[in-house]
């Protein structure tokens, strides 16, 4: 049948017959993958120790946005962060001292994406303006940041996510136009575009490898795709969610990633097994999950939900380790700081909160 | 076959009515409230409660709802059940009979269930004219329980100003509604009035309360009612002057799947079938051992040394991590993999130092140069790529590296049109070489072992001076870094 499938590519087949072929290949792939599913991750993880009781404190609340906070990103210095809001404002904070260090007002509302440059000297942001712009951060607090704005990415629909690559020189964006794109910051040139999603792309994350050139994206077509940055090719694809994927994030080793979806579950996919290896869900969790991030070792998965809570999942055992209350509206973004010492959560309640583990 | 379900018109074939994110939640909540109300199937008892001289029909206590949620949704902590119950209230499915604020309390506070007519899944987006009619008719009724709250009175005043010209019309509509209401049975009216009020508490919430009807703008275009055709709560015909919903992003017309699309799918699937994959048991072991290795570095699981700056307000932990003088714990990480060693600038430095001592640093320097190339702005890529060729690969190159002939050929081909990824093959080859050869030797080297075991060499002094008794005494009393 494999041979028959290849023969089918020649000649004047109808779309319908090609679709039948595609379906049978899909079924075959499903069977092949199932054979490798010899045991569940949480069963293997039974032999490791249960985590001690997790006590997480929230002792810093960043107030200053006038409307929903949609996105945030940590600086590599582990204490500064950038956040963006529905009211068009982008703020750079020293979260350690609660000081606001920079502020920019964008001409558009719903700034859904923001990112801190690796050097710490610039930030990128974008949203309903369909663009992603880069602002160098000046040491002069009085300087008008808007003046130095550099328009880099141009999509044909909203920009849902952006990240710098390993330098300040390239940014990667995801968009409601169904594509992702890699851009040269200096020239604004499109270096590579990534086509394959069949609906809005809502999130992306770069593989944490020093040597790798891949990233993962997730979107409203319920798919999570792995891309090769060099060729633009879609390397792997995962489809097991029942609704939009709002966020994707790599496990720290780069061999796996997690996703958050409107189907109220978070899932864990391993790239080497090419399948989903865990589902994080509970009967009492019925609202969509909007954002996820791992703790430094990958043992914990922090997930923010539309029910205003953050559930902390034991990645390997599949159980919930803790639940954080505090936000008064949807949680739009959670991010663990670069050295794993803190968790920042951004919310529709106009605030950002910084939390960490207290040792008992 | 599967054709039927997949094929409804093209690329992106979800049925917009059923799959929108809000609908998914509403269906789940509706399932819950239906079950709660089903007394025969383990639901709560909905009763009429006597109060002073009157009866309160069709109510349930907050505590009963919390108990039900805990039992039927397997919730251990009452706080969680209260939180979920409050959300169900905030979305308008249950409401306290004597309060505009939609939260759930775990006590004797009385609650009622919302009528399916008013459920959010019906995509209500009531206009201000409807709200004006509602507030207006409330003022026409003499019951104490229907008195306007302060914020409602303020809203009414604002609406009177805004609709000054059509107030007569609104007044008439309100009168008509009052007439209709009077015809109903007393108990029924109590229930309907409260449900109507709860509806407005969702769509015109008390100031300071969350407006749960707010939408995530990215999801709007797939809503059931994308053009936001407004239907009136009170059957008032749309006079065409209503504001179009500001929340409307032009949606993409879904393309029909072309032959090329499906052929691409087929190619992709064949590639996946050829991929060699690992068993879940094996990847599970790998994930567990990775996490196990790093758990001691994870501040959410293990206490940090020195203390977590966020806890103690003391940044020593960060100062230490940033220093080029690494702690033992940090040095230990370099031994996990070559990747970890190269991730840390101090690790990179030490590895380079070791290679220099062996006169074999060109591999690492090549690898670092290629990393740098990939980070350059587009403009500089071509010239930098040429420089790398001259330094490492050209004939007679000063830092000549050893590539297998295949990689060499590929790379020199690439260099005809130098680009960011021209050296990918070469870099991969060199990385593997370092990993299997020099990295292992590095871990066994004195340079590494001394750091790992914190064997301090006082490199500032010529070593022999320390042998002098005078200096020995000083060294003994110097605090360890």
């Amino acid at each position: 049948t494999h041979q028959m499938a290849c023969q089918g590519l020649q000649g004047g087949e109808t779309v319908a017959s090609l679709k039948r072929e595609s379906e049978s290949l899909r079924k075959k792939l499903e069977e092949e993958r199932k054979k490798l599913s010899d045991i569940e991750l949480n069963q293997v993880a039974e032999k490791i120790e249960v985590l001690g009781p997790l006590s997480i404190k929230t002792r810093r609340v960043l107030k200053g946005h006038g409307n929903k906070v949609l996105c945030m990103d940590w600086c590599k210095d582990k204490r500064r962060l950038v956040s963006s809001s529905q009211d068009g404002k982008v703020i750079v904070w020293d979260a350690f001292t609660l000081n606001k260090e920079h502020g920019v007002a964008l001409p558009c509302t719903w700034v859904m994406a923001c990112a801190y440059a690796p050097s710490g000297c610039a930030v990128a942001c974008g949203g309903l303006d369909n663009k992603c712009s880069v602002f160098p951060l000046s040491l002069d607090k009085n300087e008008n940041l808007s003046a130095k704005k550099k328009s880099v990415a141009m999509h044909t629909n909203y920009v849902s996510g952006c990240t710098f690559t390993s330098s300040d020189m390239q940014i990667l964006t995801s968009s409601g136009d169904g594509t992702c794109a890699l851009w040269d910051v200096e020239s604004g040139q499109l270096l590579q575009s990534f086509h394959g999603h069949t609906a809005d792309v809502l999130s992306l994350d770069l593989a944490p490898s020093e040597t790798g050139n891949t990233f993962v994206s997730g979107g409203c077509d319920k798919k999570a795709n792995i891309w090769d940055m060099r060729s633009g090719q879609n390397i792997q694809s995962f489809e097991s969610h029942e609704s939009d994927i709002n966020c994707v994030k790599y496990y720290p080793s780069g061999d796996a990633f997690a996703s958050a979806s409107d189907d109220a579950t978070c899932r864990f996919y391993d790239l080497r097994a090419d399948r989903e290896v865990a589902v994080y869900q509970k009967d009492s969790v019925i609202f969509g999950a909007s954002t996820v991030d791992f703790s430094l070792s990958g043992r914990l998965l922090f997930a923010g939900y539309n029910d205003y809570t953050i559930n902390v999942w034991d990645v390997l055992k599949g159980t919930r380790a803790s639940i954080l209350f505090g936000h008064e509206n949807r949680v739009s973004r959670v991010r663990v700081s670069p050295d794993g010492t803190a968790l920042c959560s951004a919310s529709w309640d106009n605030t950002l909160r910084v939390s960490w583990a207290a040792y008992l | 076959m599967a054709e039927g379900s997949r094929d409804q018109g093209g690329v992106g074939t979800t049925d917009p009515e059923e799959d929108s994110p809000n609908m998914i939640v509403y269906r789940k909540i509706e399932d819950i409230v239906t079950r709660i109300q089903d007394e025969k199937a383990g639901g709560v008892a909905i009763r009429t409660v006597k109060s002073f001289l009157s009866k309160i029909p069709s109510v349930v206590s907050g505590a009963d709802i919390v108990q039900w949620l805990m039992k039927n949704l397997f919730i251990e902590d009452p706080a969680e059940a209260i939180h979920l119950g409050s959300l169900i209230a905030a979305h308008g499915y249950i409401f306290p009979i004597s309060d505009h604020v939609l939260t759930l309390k775990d006590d004797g506070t009385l609650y009622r269930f919302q009528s399916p007519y008013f459920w959010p899944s019906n995509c209500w987006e009531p206009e201000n004219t409807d709200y004006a009619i509602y507030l207006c008719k409330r003022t026409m009724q003499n019951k104490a329980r229907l008195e306007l709250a302060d914020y409602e009175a303020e809203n009414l005043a604002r609406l009177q100003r805004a609709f000054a010209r059509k107030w007569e019309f609104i007044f008439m509509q309100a009168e008509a509604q009052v007439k209709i209401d009077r015809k109903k049975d007393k108990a029924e009216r109590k229930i309907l009035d409260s449900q109507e009020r709860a509806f407005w508490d969702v769509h015109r919430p008390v100031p300071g309360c969350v407006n749960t009807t707010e939408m995530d703008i990215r999801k709007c275009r797939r809503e059931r009612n994308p053009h936001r055709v407004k239907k009136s709560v009170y059957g008032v015909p749309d006079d065409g002057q209503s504001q179009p919903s500001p929340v409307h992003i032009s949606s993409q017309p879904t393309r029909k799947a072309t032959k090329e699309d499906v052929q691409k799918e087929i190619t992709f699937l064949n590639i996946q079938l050829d991929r060699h994959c690992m068993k879940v048991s094996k990847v599970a072991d790998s994930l567990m051992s990775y996490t196990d290795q790093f758990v001691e570095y994870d501040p959410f699981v293990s206490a940090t040394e020195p203390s977590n700056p966020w806890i103690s307000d003391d940044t020593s932990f960060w100062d230490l991590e940033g220093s080029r003088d690494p702690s033992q714990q940090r040095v230990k990480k370099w031994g996990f993999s070559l990747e970890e060693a190269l991730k840390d600038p101090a690790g990179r430095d030490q590895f380079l130092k070791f290679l220099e001592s062996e006169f074999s640093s060109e591999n690492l320097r090549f690898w670092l140069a290629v990393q740098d190339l990939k980070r350059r702005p587009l403009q500089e890529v071509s010239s930098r790529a040429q420089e790398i060729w001259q330094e490492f690969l050209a004939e007679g190159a000063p830092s000549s590296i050893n590539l297998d002939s295949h990689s060499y050929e590929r790379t020199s081909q690439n260099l005809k049109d130098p680009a960011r990824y021209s050296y990918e093959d070469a870099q991969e080859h060199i990385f593997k070489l370092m990993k299997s050869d020099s990295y292992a030797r590095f871990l066994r080297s004195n340079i590494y072992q001394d750091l790992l075991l914190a064997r301090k060499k006082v490199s500032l002094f010529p070593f022999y001076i320390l042998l002098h008794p005078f200096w020995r005494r000083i060294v003994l009393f110097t605090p360890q870094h």
Side-chain angles (χ1 to χ4, degrees):
Chain A
T1 46
H2 190 98
Q3 212 183 27
M4 272 166 64
C6 291
Q7 281 168 2
L9 283 173
Q10 302 145 11
E13 302 70 29
T14 59
V15 174
S17 71
L18 284 176
K19 279 189 180 172
R20 278 195 295 273
E21 195 186 320
S22 165
E23 251 329 289
S24 80
L25 282 175
R26 220 176 271 278
K27 279 213 168 99
K28 185 160 180 230
L29 187 61
E30 181 62 40
E31 280 163 25
E32 287 297 308
R33 293 291 182 261
K34 240 189 176 145
K35 287 181 197 162
L36 298 171
S37 187
D38 49 349
I39 191 171
E40 294 291 310
L41 171 61
N42 59 358
Q43 288 173 285
V44 180
E46 270 164 20
K47 60 187 171 205
I48 53 177
E49 269 178 54
V50 177
L51 286 169
L54 201 54
S55 169
I56 298 178
K57 308 273 180 229
T58 303
R59 293 279 181 266
R60 275 174 176 74
V61 182
L62 303 176
K63 294 189 186 170
H65 277 294
N67 211 320
K68 307 178 179 65
V69 187
L70 304 174
C71 189
M72 60 77 45
D73 189 28
W74 286 95
C75 176
K76 282 213 156 72
D77 74 0
K78 308 145 193 174
R79 51 189 285 173
R80 284 176 175 75
L81 53 91
V82 62
S83 59
S84 64
S85 165
Q86 186 192 336
D87 67 359
K89 299 250 170 51
V90 173
I91 301 178
V92 174
W93 318 70
D94 176 349
F96 200 63
T97 59
L98 297 182
N99 275 348
K100 296 186 196 53
E101 297 197 334
H102 303 272
V104 191
L106 265 62
C108 78
T109 58
W110 288 87
V111 187
M112 305 164 192
C114 63
Y116 224 117
S119 69
C121 299
V123 292
C125 49
L128 267 195
D129 56 355
N130 298 359
K131 296 191 212 151
C132 186
S133 309
V134 176
F135 295 84
L137 296 175
S138 106
L139 290 168
D140 177 5
K141 302 285 164 75
N142 294 320
E143 187 171 359
N144 182 8
L145 284 188
S146 306
K148 290 246 174 92
K149 166 172 146 180
K150 195 180 189 32
S151 209
V152 175
M154 285 280 285
H155 279 278
T156 55
N157 214 307
Y158 63 87
V159 169
S160 54
C162 69
T163 179
F164 285 86
T165 62
S166 52
S167 83
D168 289 15
M169 298 297 143
Q170 291 106 41
I171 54 170
L172 195 56
T173 54
S174 60
S175 168
D177 65 15
T179 71
C180 297
L182 180 67
W183 310 84
D184 180 65
V185 173
E186 218 185 43
S187 63
Q189 204 171 314
L190 172 68
L191 297 172
Q192 184 65 252
S193 67
F194 305 89
H195 297 262
H197 278 289
T198 53
D200 306 22
V201 186
L202 296 178
S203 171
L204 55 73
D205 188 40
L206 263 176
S209 166
E210 291 292 296
T211 54
N213 301 296
T214 58
F215 70 95
V216 61
S217 66
C220 296
D221 58 0
K222 313 174 197 170
K223 292 206 188 111
N225 291 333
I226 307 286
W227 306 90
D228 182 335
M229 275 164 65
R230 301 170 288 178
S231 60
Q233 290 301 308
N234 176 7
I235 307 174
Q236 277 176 274
S237 188
F238 301 85
E239 189 173 357
S240 64
H241 272 295
E242 294 165 18
S243 183
D244 298 4
I245 294 178
N246 295 312
C247 185
V248 287
K249 197 75 175 58
Y250 271 96
Y251 175 80
S253 75
D255 296 315
F257 68 93
S259 58
S261 164
D262 279 331
D263 67 9
T265 71
C266 295
R267 294 177 197 239
F268 192 38
Y269 300 87
D270 189 290
L271 302 182
R272 301 160 296 186
D274 194 32
R275 64 190 282 112
E276 172 196 293
V277 292
V279 184
Y280 309 105
Q281 62 188 343
K282 255 178 168 294
D283 286 318
S284 53
V285 178
I286 62 174
F287 284 79
S290 59
T291 174
V292 277
D293 198 4
F294 286 96
S295 70
L296 190 134
S297 64
R299 183 66 197 266
L300 299 171
L301 182 70
F302 299 97
Y305 290 75
N306 291 341
D307 66 4
Y308 322 168
T309 67
I310 297 170
N311 286 307
V312 187
W313 301 95
D314 181 325
V315 171
L316 302 172
K317 288 187 179 286
T319 53
R320 186 173 65 185
S322 188
I323 178 170
L324 306 179
F325 297 100
H327 278 296
E328 293 166 9
N329 206 325
R330 300 192 192 190
V331 178
S332 53
R333 180 90 155 175
V334 292
R335 274 292 174 273
V336 172
S337 66
D339 62 355
T341 49
L343 173 77
C344 180
S345 52
S347 165
W348 280 21
D349 68 7
N350 304 2
T351 71
L352 295 114
R353 282 165 203 253
V354 185
S355 315
W356 49 84
Y359 307 112
L360 305 159
Chain B
M1 262 192 60
E3 228 175 64
S5 58
R6 245 175 226 286
D7 253 51
Q8 250 129 48
V11 173
T13 56
T14 51
D15 175 0
E17 302 231 335
E18 292 317 307
D19 283 309
S20 92
N22 281 1
M23 282 303 159
I24 296 175
V25 182
Y26 293 150
R27 298 267 173 262
K28 288 182 195 168
I29 299 178
E30 284 160 18
D31 177 65
I32 290 172
V33 296
T34 306
R35 282 163 60 197
I36 301 184
Q37 291 175 81
D38 190 351
E39 256 184 85
K40 293 190 191 120
V44 295
I46 303 174
R47 334 174 287 282
T48 299
V49 167
K50 290 208 181 95
S51 153
F52 299 117
L53 299 166
S54 63
K55 293 191 192 143
I56 307 175
S58 190
V59 287
V60 149
S61 75
D64 283 346
I65 296 178
V66 172
Q67 282 306 306
W68 189 94
L69 290 172
M70 286 180 69
K71 181 167 174 223
N72 291 275
L73 297 182
F74 312 105
I75 298 174
E76 282 158 16
D77 181 6
E80 214 188 315
I82 293 169
H83 183 85
L84 176 60
S86 293
L87 274 163
I88 293 175
H91 281 271
Y93 285 92
I94 59 177
F95 57 91
I97 59 168
S98 341
D99 202 338
H100 285 287
V101 175
L102 300 168
T103 54
L104 182 68
K105 293 197 184 127
D106 188 12
D107 56 19
T109 311
L110 297 174
Y111 290 83
R112 214 168 258 150
F113 291 91
Q114 183 55 281
S115 153
Y117 176 71
F118 283 128
W119 278 357
S121 49
N122 294 327
C123 293
W124 290 105
E125 216 184 316
E127 286 284 339
N128 276 333
T129 35
D130 275 354
Y131 188 44
I133 292 169
Y134 167 68
L135 290 176
C136 198
K137 97 168 159 157
R138 285 266 300 277
T139 62
M140 294 173 183
Q141 290 154 327
N142 290 326
K143 309 250 150 71
R145 66 178 158 81
L146 298 174
E147 251 176 43
L148 293 184
D150 288 344
Y151 78 96
E152 287 177 308
E154 277 171 39
N155 286 345
L156 180 57
R158 256 192 315 110
L159 289 166
Q160 275 171 329
R161 286 194 297 274
F163 290 133
R165 263 182 262 149
K166 59 184 204 178
W167 198 256
E168 209 181 309
F169 170 75
I170 288 173
F171 193 86
M172 272 167 48
Q173 292 294 321
E175 276 185 327
Q177 288 298 319
V178 169
K179 248 193 185 154
I180 296 171
D181 289 348
R182 279 211 186 107
K183 291 190 186 140
K184 293 177 190 147
D185 161 72
K186 200 173 168 188
E188 203 193 335
R189 264 183 72 189
K190 272 188 189 170
I191 296 172
L192 290 172
D193 281 350
S194 69
Q195 288 173 332
E196 189 187 19
R197 187 186 76 178
F199 171 81
W200 287 109
D201 288 340
V202 170
H203 291 276
R204 298 289 185 277
V206 178
C209 286
V210 172
N211 183 342
T212 57
T213 64
E214 279 192 304
M215 301 262 319
D216 183 339
I217 206 169
R218 304 171 303 174
K219 318 271 176 160
C220 284
R221 71 171 100 156
R222 287 146 51 228
E223 279 300 298
R224 199 176 196 180
N225 204 357
H227 298 291
R228 297 299 198 183
V229 171
K230 321 260 180 154
K231 70 182 167 192
S232 164
V233 182
Y234 303 112
V236 175
D238 183 16
D239 62 359
Q241 281 176 5
S242 52
Q243 295 287 344
S245 183
V247 170
H248 181 64
I249 307 176
S250 58
S251 62
Q252 318 252 68
T254 47
R255 255 173 54 241
K256 241 188 140 70
T258 63
K259 218 162 143 185
E260 283 78 40
D261 289 332
V262 190
Q263 277 168 346
K264 265 196 193 151
E265 257 176 61
I266 291 171
T267 312
F268 178 81
L269 289 167
N270 278 321
I271 294 173
Q272 300 308 311
L273 276 165
D274 286 339
R275 174 193 301 279
H276 170 69
C277 291
M278 284 168 63
K279 284 195 184 154
V280 174
S281 53
K282 217 167 165 220
V283 306
D285 282 336
S286 162
L287 293 166
M288 277 167 52
S289 70
Y290 180 91
T291 289
D292 187 51
Q293 224 177 19
F294 284 91
V295 137
E296 71 175 271
Y297 300 90
D298 186 344
F300 272 95
V301 184
S302 317
T304 61
E305 196 57 52
S307 65
N308 186 336
W310 296 97
I311 299 177
S312 61
D313 263 334
D314 171 7
T315 62
S316 312
F317 180 74
W318 286 335
D319 299 333
L320 200 63
E321 286 296 307
S323 81
R324 293 301 248 234
D325 187 15
S327 65
Q328 275 176 287
Q329 207 190 22
R330 200 170 135 199
V331 172
K332 184 170 146 191
K333 244 200 264 186
W334 305 346
F336 292 167
S337 67
L338 176 54
E339 273 236 12
E340 280 303 316
L342 293 177
K343 230 193 237 178
D344 187 339
R348 230 183 288 149
D349 286 348
Q350 292 299 324
F351 188 34
L352 191 63
K353 196 167 143 190
F354 165 73
L355 292 172
E356 275 165 1
S357 74
E358 288 198 332
F359 304 103
S360 62
S361 66
E362 64 281 352
N363 282 345
L364 181 56
R365 284 189 290 115
F366 169 73
W367 189 87
L368 291 169
V370 176
Q371 288 295 87
D372 173 69
L373 170 68
K374 290 190 276 192
R375 291 173 188 154
R376 292 291 176 110
L378 190 57
Q379 260 199 143
E380 298 174 19
V381 164
S382 186
S383 58
R384 189 75 192 107
Q386 299 285 12
E387 282 169 21
I388 292 177
W389 179 267
Q390 290 307 315
E391 175 74 18
F392 297 99
L393 286 160
E395 240 185 79
S399 310
S400 176
I401 58 169
N402 242 338
L403 276 187
D404 63 294
S405 56
H406 180 71
S407 301
Y408 192 87
E409 275 313 306
R410 282 277 283 274
T411 307
S412 75
Q413 275 293 100
N414 289 345
L415 261 287
K416 293 197 173 138
D417 183 14
R420 195 180 304 274
Y421 296 113
S422 294
Y423 291 102
E424 282 311 278
D425 283 338
Q427 198 192 27
E428 220 180 290
H429 178 87
I430 292 294
F431 187 84
K432 285 196 183 122
L433 206 62
M434 287 194 292
K435 193 165 155 181
S436 60
D437 183 33
S438 34
Y439 173 63
R441 287 204 311 280
F442 167 64
L443 294 182
R444 292 193 298 266
S445 74
N446 283 337
I447 289 181
Y448 180 73
Q449 289 294 324
D450 286 349
L451 287 171
L452 184 66
L453 302 170
R455 291 194 294 237
K456 286 286 169 182
K457 286 198 181 137
V458 185
S459 53
L460 289 170
F461 296 95
F463 191 58
Y464 64 84
I465 288 185
L466 290 173
L467 296 172
H468 194 282
F470 176 73
W471 290 105
R472 248 194 232 143
R473 240 178 288 130
I474 304 267
V475 166
L476 273 174
F477 289 108
T478 309
Q480 289 288 318
H481 288 298

